[in-house]
Amino acid sequence: MAFTLYNAPQSTCSQRVRFVLNAKQLAFDEVKLNLLEGDQLKPDYLKLNPNGVVPTLDHDGAIVIDSTVITEYLDEVVPDTTFTPESPVERARMRALMHFIDEMAAAAVRVPTFNLAFLPSFQKMSRRAFVEFAESKPLRKEFMMAMGQTGFPPKEMDAALDRLRRTYLRMDAEIDKSGGPWLLGKDITLADVAVMPALVRMDDLGMAHQWQDLPRVVTWFDNIRAQPAFAPTYYHGSLLSEKFPHLREKLPA
Ligand SMILES: N[C@@H](CCC(=O)N[C@@H](CS)C(=O)NCC(=O)O)C(=O)O
């Protein structure tokens, strides 16, 4: 089996897929796209992924897109070291949580990410180049235009942080209900993998204090970072603070 992953080191969606590939000890070629330079919008890439986003998986020539779909696909084609519960009811719970995570944490985390890390690159562009870049994005045109070159206003940032806070509360409730240590009980599932990059991102942005009053989530975070697949997934350059030195100066101590 040959796997090629089109992705970006700091992309949270890519990190989900790298984690599952690493956990299953599947060798893969990594094609790294520069998202700020628009590699994801080039015609050849759009043929693979018409959404113009990463990640995209090529498995022996079969193209699979969307990180949650890719992680489920990988669990189906390589069921060893499974991340999917056996019972259909538990599977349904896992998928429902993955939908919640995509709608809440995965979407919300883009606001602080763009405002704190990417905005300076967009501010260097002329208005015309920025609008052209934004308009060429199949999925994120409106998001980019809402951010503009001055960034999301405080109200939007607060709303995003509140959505993230509600995610941590939901995680806490799920761990409590399942008995933990993972969201659905004693085994790690794709739902844990799905939410992992949002917490890693917020930790990297100096905002881990938002879940420090939730000991179950604190332990969950320690546990996922201790997984053998974590270090190879977050190789050097995967954190925003490693890529954007300006962040180090801005982060709270
Ligand atoms: N639902 C998609 C979302 C993918 C996505 O938003 N990817 C981001 C990086 S995490 C991206 O490629 N952004 C490029 C852009 O905004 O132009 C998935 O989970 O794969």
Side-chain angles (χ1 to χ4, degrees), residues 3 21 29-30 46 51 59-60 69 89 93 96 126 130 143-144 151 157 169 188-190:
F3 292 102
L21 285 165
D29 289 325
E30 202 182 336
L46 288 173
N51 292 336
H59 174 206
D60 289 338
V69 175
V89 171
R93 280 197 188 123
S126 69
F130 174 79
F143 175 86
M144 289 287 286
M157 268 292 262
L169 290 170
I188 186 168
T189 70
L190 293 179

Side-chain angles (χ1 to χ4, degrees), residues 160-171:
L161 296 182
D162 190 57
R163 286 163 77 78
L164 284 156
R165 172 70 185 167
R166 275 141 62 204
T167 303
Y168 313 140
L169 290 170
R170 174 70 177 271
M171 289 175 71

Side-chain angles (χ1 to χ4, degrees), residues 141-158:
K141 172 181 161 178
E142 291 79 9
F143 175 86
M144 289 287 286
M145 291 309 288
M147 175 186 65
Q149 286 172 288
T150 49
F152 289 102
K155 200 171 152 232
E156 293 280 331
M157 268 292 262
D158 290 349

Side-chain angles (χ1 to χ4, degrees), residues 11-13 16 35 40 52-55 66-68 110 114 137 140:
S11 139
T12 51
C13 313
R16 293 170 167 176
L35 303 181
Q40 74 280 25
V53 291
V54 289
D66 202 289
S67 62
T68 55
R110 284 185 204 119
F114 274 70
K137 294 195 178 206
R140 296 285 145 71

Side-chain angles (χ1 to χ4, degrees), residues 97-141:
L97 266 179
M98 289 163 81
H99 280 285
F100 170 83
I101 291 159
D102 266 354
E103 204 163 313
M104 293 286 280
V109 85
R110 284 185 204 119
V111 174
T113 297
F114 274 70
N115 253 18
L116 299 173
F118 302 156
L119 189 60
S121 310
F122 298 128
Q123 286 175 327
K124 286 187 198 126
M125 297 168 101
S126 69
R127 177 73 188 158
R128 195 184 156 146
F130 174 79
V131 171
E132 235 171 66
F133 189 57
E135 286 187 343
S136 70
K137 294 195 178 206
L139 231 56
R140 296 285 145 71
K141 172 181 161 178

